[in-house]
Amino acid sequence: MKKILFVLALFFVSSTFAYSQETEFSDETDETEEIEEASIVAARGGIAQIPDPCRPKPMDKEKAEKAAEKDENDETVGKYQSTIKYGMATEIAELINKLIENDDPRFAEDIYDLFQITKSTDVKEKIINYFKKLEDPCVADYACEVLNDPFDVKNSLVTACLQYVSEIKCKNAVPPVITLIENEDEKFFNEALLALGGIGGSEEALFLIEYLDRDDLSDAQRQSLMRTLGKMQALETWERLCEIAQNEDENLFVRMYASEAIGNMKKLESVPVLVDLFEEADPNLRVYVLKGLSNYPDTVDALNVIIEAIRDDHVKVRTEAVETVKKLEITDSVPYLIYRAKNDSEDSVKKKCIETLAALNTKEGNEYLISIIQDKKAGDSSKAKVVEELLKAGHTGKKEILELAETSLNDDKKKNLRYAVGKSLAKYCDDSFDEICLKFLESKDSSTVSLGLDMYQNKKWNVVRPKVEELAKEKKESANKRRAIRLVGEQEEEEKESSK
């Protein structure tokens, strides 16, 4: 019965839409403004026009070469092809998961042929996910057929089809996706919204704006609708979204997402609206105002609010502001960041400020960070964070960091600092770290030696190699000895390969 009602609803909506189009074109007018206003109308639900069948698109050679590097041996391709031809559903599903993970396009033709004959819904679902990963429209005809009549198949297959048509930007799927949004059965509501956000344009955004005015929507549905509208960035909805963002009687989360959405449209008229909204009391709203303002790096009013937000009373707002100045590379924020790094009550904000100061790479900021490394009174956790961020940025501070590492090697009370600095040295290894690597390897502490091996693994300095060979020959069995043996063996193999 549900299926019959759904099909009748599709027919009714499609017929109504067709009639409305005929009426629209029969009312001729010479007024230019009226023609422009009628040029964009809200999309409506209906039945998808099924795309013509097509085979997979030509294979991406670069992706194929990268995927081939992960083959176990020369027999891998043949093994996979046999699984696709003769394997059980569970075996095929497991293989397709691996192909998706490796972004492997080499088997698209074989998998497409399997899709045409398999009776397994699970296999069909996996194949749809495979072609979604490849962004290949070759099964769009099947996906549209499922969405036209979604009640005869598994829910997970419908969801897979929604995600697929969104990824491949299949405009044919818009009418049944809208119908799923309008349908009283809410199980596909969110997935259909996400799909519409991926494939929709101005007409679909206007549909969502109209749909937003319904009285029977839950707050959760309204929030999902607003997030989708924000993703679509349709300028035709700007005025309505501004009204929603400024409406104090509206649901808070809906206002938040509307604020971000008008900012994402990169329309200069959004800036004064957002600047005014930043004065509101709720910190969550202010966070989303900052997200919106982050789209205007060349607008003084927007930058002023972002910088001021670094000293906001609420930690969420301060955190968002610090992340935003890093994203926009706002160097005028440096004095604020230094103050907060010194004085903020929240350790998370202090760390964010250190991270941002290192990324901004200003003279004032770098000098402050280096002063933390050299300050005997500064906490070890702060020093470790500064070391990590300066090494990640790669601008300055290596000399001071190496001096700190050596100091920590000579003081067992500073083991935790030594370990933290050693991890960062290994992670952001530099050619100039050979001497400190050797000193780590000479330690009597096994964890310190392990960090030295981490550094050596990245660079394999010749000056350090004798020490690694010495570790490999130790009489006492240990994890470090086994690792040293492996590293020496790997280096010997590399040398043999390069000499051929």
Side-chain angles (χ1 to χ4, degrees):
M1 186 61 165
K2 183 186 286 186
K3 176 185 172 185
I4 294 171
L5 290 173
F6 183 76
V7 173
L8 286 172
L10 286 175
F11 176 77
F12 175 76
V13 173
S14 300
S15 301
T16 305
F17 183 46
Y19 175 77
S20 67
Q21 285 187 310
E22 290 172 8
T23 305
E24 180 185 335
F25 289 115
S26 64
D27 296 333
E28 296 183 2
T29 176
D30 294 330
E31 295 294 330
T32 303
E33 288 185 7
E34 290 183 19
I35 292 173
E36 288 177 354
E37 287 176 4
S39 62
I40 298 178
V41 295
R44 293 290 179 263
I47 297 175
Q49 180 179 349
I50 307 301
D52 292 334
C54 65
R55 292 196 66 81
K57 61 187 182 182
M59 181 171 56
D60 185 318
K61 292 183 179 179
E62 185 177 343
K63 284 185 178 181
E65 288 172 1
K66 287 182 179 179
E69 293 173 2
K70 299 177 183 178
D71 288 350
E72 295 177 6
N73 51 52
D74 294 340
E75 298 176 358
T76 297
V77 171
K79 177 183 173 183
Y80 287 178
Q81 288 174 332
S82 294
T83 300
I84 294 167
K85 282 185 178 181
Y86 311 116
M88 298 185 300
T90 52
E91 294 168 337
I92 293 170
E94 184 179 345
L95 172 59
I96 293 177
N97 281 338
K98 185 181 292 186
L99 298 177
I100 291 171
E101 183 181 346
N102 293 339
D103 199 10
D104 190 341
R106 294 175 295 168
F107 305 91
E109 293 285 344
D110 298 318
I111 290 174
Y112 178 82
D113 289 338
L114 171 64
F115 188 80
Q116 307 308 313
I117 61 174
T118 184
K119 302 301 180 184
S120 169
T121 301
D122 291 339
V123 170
K124 282 185 178 291
E125 186 178 324
K126 291 293 182 184
I127 292 175
I128 289 168
N129 289 334
Y130 175 71
F131 286 119
K132 179 185 75 174
K133 178 71 173 182
L134 298 182
E135 298 180 25
D136 193 318
C138 63
V139 292
D141 53 334
Y142 176 83
C144 286
E145 287 175 0
V146 169
L147 296 178
N148 277 344
D149 187 6
F151 294 115
D152 276 347
V153 296
K154 287 173 62 177
N155 292 349
S156 59
L157 181 60
V158 178
T159 298
C161 289
L162 286 168
Q163 294 171 351
Y164 172 73
V165 296
S166 176
E167 190 67 30
I168 66 167
K169 312 297 181 190
C170 178
K171 294 289 288 185
N172 293 50
V174 166
V177 169
I178 288 178
T179 302
L180 280 173
I181 293 171
E182 293 178 317
N183 187 35
E184 291 183 3
D185 190 338
E186 298 179 7
K187 61 187 173 187
F188 299 123
F189 183 84
N190 286 330
E191 287 294 345
L193 269 181
L194 290 172
L196 193 62
I199 60 181
S202 298
E203 296 91 343
E204 290 71 39
L206 290 174
F207 157 74
L208 293 180
I209 281 290
E210 290 181 3
Y211 194 75
L212 195 63
D213 291 330
R214 285 177 49 158
D215 296 328
D216 59 343
L217 295 177
S218 66
D219 285 342
Q221 287 175 316
R222 290 173 61 78
Q223 291 165 22
S224 296
L225 279 163
M226 188 55 65
R227 298 205 82 159
T228 300
L229 279 165
K231 180 180 177 182
M232 297 172 83
Q233 299 182 25
L235 291 175
E236 293 80 8
T237 64
W238 182 82
E239 289 187 9
R240 182 74 177 95
L241 293 183
C242 282
E243 292 174 8
I244 292 169
Q246 295 170 306
N247 183 0
E248 295 182 6
D249 295 327
E250 180 60 86
N251 173 270
L252 173 64
F253 286 91
V254 172
R255 294 184 70 198
M256 287 159 49
Y257 302 145
S259 299
E260 182 181 20
I262 62 173
N264 288 344
M265 291 179 189
K266 298 180 181 179
K267 187 178 171 73
L268 280 176
E269 290 86 345
S270 299
V271 174
V273 176
L274 293 170
V275 169
D276 287 344
L277 283 171
F278 191 77
E279 297 179 4
E280 298 230 1
D282 192 279
N284 294 299
L285 180 58
R286 296 203 299 278
V287 165
Y288 276 79
V289 167
L290 289 175
K291 290 179 186 292
L293 288 173
S294 71
N295 293 286
Y296 304 90
D298 300 319
T299 306
V300 173
D301 288 346
L303 297 183
N304 287 341
V305 170
I306 293 167
I307 292 174
E308 278 297 311
I310 296 172
R311 57 178 179 178
D312 192 273
D313 286 338
H314 201 280
V315 62
K316 285 184 179 179
V317 182
R318 295 200 301 279
T319 301
E320 183 68 28
V322 174
E323 289 176 348
T324 304
V325 299
K326 179 185 176 186
K327 171 187 169 184
L328 301 184
E329 300 180 356
I330 306 174
T331 55
D332 287 347
S333 67
V334 167
Y336 293 80
L337 296 170
I338 291 174
Y339 185 89
R340 295 258 59 85
K342 290 179 179 178
N343 303 297
D344 204 277
S345 58
E346 297 290 336
D347 191 52
S348 61
V349 176
K350 288 182 177 181
K351 289 180 177 178
K352 281 286 181 187
C353 289
I354 289 172
E355 178 185 319
T356 303
L357 286 166
L360 291 177
N361 189 30
T362 66
K363 182 175 183 294
E364 184 182 5
N366 290 340
E367 287 176 352
Y368 168 69
L369 294 177
I370 289 171
S371 74
I372 294 177
I373 294 175
Q374 297 175 322
D375 186 357
K376 294 181 179 179
K377 295 181 180 179
D380 287 350
S381 62
S382 295
K383 289 182 178 181
K385 180 63 176 175
V386 170
V387 167
E388 179 187 6
E389 296 304 330
L390 284 179
L391 288 175
K392 184 193 298 183
H395 304 305
T396 189
K398 285 180 185 175
K399 173 178 171 290
E400 292 80 8
I401 290 169
L402 293 174
E403 289 173 355
L404 178 66
E406 190 161 353
T407 300
S408 70
L409 282 167
N410 298 325
D411 185 355
D412 280 347
K413 292 179 181 178
K414 296 288 185 181
K415 274 188 179 180
N416 288 337
L417 176 61
R418 182 198 308 167
Y419 298 156
V421 172
K423 286 178 182 177
S424 294
L425 289 170
K427 186 175 182 180
Y428 305 104
C429 208
D430 185 276
D431 288 337
S432 63
F433 294 172
D434 52 349
E435 290 185 15
I436 198 68
C437 173
L438 190 56
K439 289 177 180 178
F440 267 72
L441 291 173
E442 290 170 344
S443 173
K444 294 180 180 179
D445 176 62
S446 62
S447 296
T448 303
V449 173
S450 179
L451 289 167
L453 290 171
D454 288 342
M455 295 180 219
Y456 179 76
Q457 183 173 348
N458 288 326
K459 292 296 179 180
K460 294 187 173 67
W461 300 276
N462 287 329
V463 69
V464 180
R465 182 171 178 175
K467 182 60 184 177
V468 178
E469 291 174 340
E470 182 185 320
L471 289 170
K473 294 174 182 177
E474 283 185 345
K475 292 182 179 180
K476 187 179 179 180
E477 284 295 324
S478 68
N480 285 335
K481 176 184 176 178
R482 291 190 293 273
R483 193 167 168 212
I485 292 171
R486 178 172 58 79
L487 288 172
V488 170
E490 286 176 0
Q491 193 163 2
E492 289 173 349
E493 285 295 321
E494 288 171 6
E495 288 170 352
K496 286 179 183 178
E497 287 294 322
S498 62
S499 65
K500 287 182 180 178

